Amino acid sequence: MTSQILLRSLPTDLDPARLPRHVATIMDGNGRWARRRHMPRVYGHQKGVDTLKDLLRCCKDWGIAALTVYAFSTENWGRPQDEVDFLMALFEKVLDRELAEMAEEQVRIRFVGALHHLPKSLQGTIHEAMTLTANNTGVQFTVATNYGGREEIVQACRKLAQEVKAGRLQPEEIDEALINKHLYTSEMHDPDLLIRTSGESRLSNFLLWQSAYTEIYVADVMWPDFDRSAFHAALLSYQNRQRRYGKA
Ligand code: FPP
């Protein structure tokens, strides 16, 4: 708690001019965190929401423009049905509960993924949140839900193939910029820093295209324990790296 209070403003050992513009996170370890406390896995997801809320506020406090989180992957439908149902209900409840405050704080909310497969009422809440905050100028908060990097690339390929089939596009005109335009994230910068918690070092189908030159940081703590001091450590590690984008 003390460190949380101390870390309200940007720690002095971080250079404000070299912060990542866009941080992406794989919020891993909620289930294990709960199990270690002899609690049901879903308790970990509830705690994970508190962590996320503080990280979002921390981005505002420290001057980080964009935060993207992996809330539900295309593979997560394979989890036990009661956990899937819990997560869908949790997303809706959290959005309902937090929307007014997030809008007040100028957060711009976006959801990316195959959203049309989500429960209808959640789709409605998502639409409301995106519409209400569309013109906000604060932190750009993106929630990847029913998101899979491969699925995203497949749907982009399909759209481009349809354009070619209809004679509106020549195959030679397809370049990186055009593919980018057909991704769910077309309006966003690529992430500068991707953080995964729980010690795992996989991308797990998250932002595959967008992470080509992203710095990856693995935090050993489970997501519910990823507090401001853990974020501070991730940013210090980021600032100690040289990003060369394949150049010498
Ligand atoms: C991964 O932990 C976490 C998730 C699949 C869900 C994370 C979702 C939230 C924190 C809620 C976010 C809410 C909104 C509205 C954005 P895990 O279950 O894979 O943990 P394990 O690896 O220990 O099993």
Side-chain angles (χ1 to χ4, degrees):
M1 193 62 198
T2 319
S3 67
Q4 301 291 323
I5 292 165
L6 288 175
L7 292 173
R8 193 149 290 161
S9 50
L10 186 71
T12 50
D13 52 359
L14 286 173
D15 177 356
R18 290 173 49 244
L19 286 171
R21 257 189 316 189
H22 179 188
V23 174
T25 59
I26 301 179
M27 310 182 284
D28 197 16
N30 290 346
R32 278 166 286 165
W33 182 92
R35 281 288 176 220
R36 283 179 192 172
R37 286 158 181 78
H38 309 287
M39 298 293 281
R41 290 174 50 80
V42 294
Y43 178 64
H45 297 318
Q46 271 169 334
K47 282 291 181 189
V49 172
D50 297 339
T51 300
L52 179 55
K53 263 186 78 177
D54 193 53
L55 183 63
L56 188 56
R57 188 156 290 130
C58 187
C59 286
K60 181 185 179 204
D61 293 346
W62 292 2
I64 290 167
L67 175 70
T68 298
V69 298
Y70 204 7
F72 195 88
S73 74
T74 45
E75 290 73 33
N76 285 155
W77 297 108
R79 292 190 174 205
Q81 191 59 45
D82 55 351
E83 185 173 340
V84 170
D85 293 345
F86 179 91
L87 281 168
M88 294 299 145
L90 182 70
F91 299 151
E92 204 170 325
K93 198 170 86 183
V94 170
L95 270 183
D96 276 339
R97 195 181 65 204
E98 306 292 338
L99 183 57
E101 195 179 332
M102 287 197 282
E104 175 81 9
E105 293 194 22
Q106 282 298 309
V107 175
R108 182 175 176 195
I109 307 170
R110 242 192 234 144
F111 277 73
V112 292
L115 304 179
H116 54 284
H117 289 311
L118 296 172
K120 283 278 173 291
S121 60
L122 176 57
Q123 287 186 45
T125 312
I126 287 173
H127 181 72
E128 189 194 342
M130 297 212 298
T131 311
L132 186 76
T133 64
N135 297 319
N136 284 358
T137 52
V139 177
Q140 187 174 308
F141 176 45
T142 305
V143 185
T145 312
N146 193 22
Y147 174 88
R150 288 185 174 182
E151 190 278 334
E152 178 183 38
I153 293 168
V154 167
Q155 64 81 36
C157 290
R158 281 206 189 112
K159 283 186 198 148
L160 290 171
Q162 276 156 4
E163 292 293 298
V164 171
K165 191 176 168 194
R168 290 190 290 265
L169 180 70
Q170 296 302 312
E172 310 77 62
E173 291 174 311
I174 299 174
D175 58 10
E176 290 188 14
L178 196 62
I179 292 179
N180 212 30
K181 207 172 142 195
H182 288 78
L183 299 178
Y184 298 131
T185 54
S186 58
E187 290 167 37
M188 295 158 55
H189 290 290
D190 288 345
D192 301 297
L193 172 65
L194 188 151
I195 300 169
R196 181 169 188 156
T197 53
S198 94
E200 308 282 356
S201 34
R202 287 185 297 279
L203 281 179
S204 296
N205 209 8
F206 187 43
L207 301 178
L208 296 182
W209 173 278
Q210 300 84 343
S211 295
Y213 290 102
T214 299
E215 295 295 328
I216 298 178
Y217 177 85
V218 175
D220 282 331
V221 294
M222 302 292 151
W223 175 253
D225 289 331
F226 189 79
D227 59 9
R228 287 184 182 219
S229 46
F231 190 37
H232 176 203
L235 294 174
L236 271 179
S237 165
Y238 173 82
Q239 292 202 334
N240 282 327
R241 301 182 194 184
Q242 268 203 337
R243 301 186 73 192
R244 292 200 301 270
Y245 300 95
K247 297 176 192 130

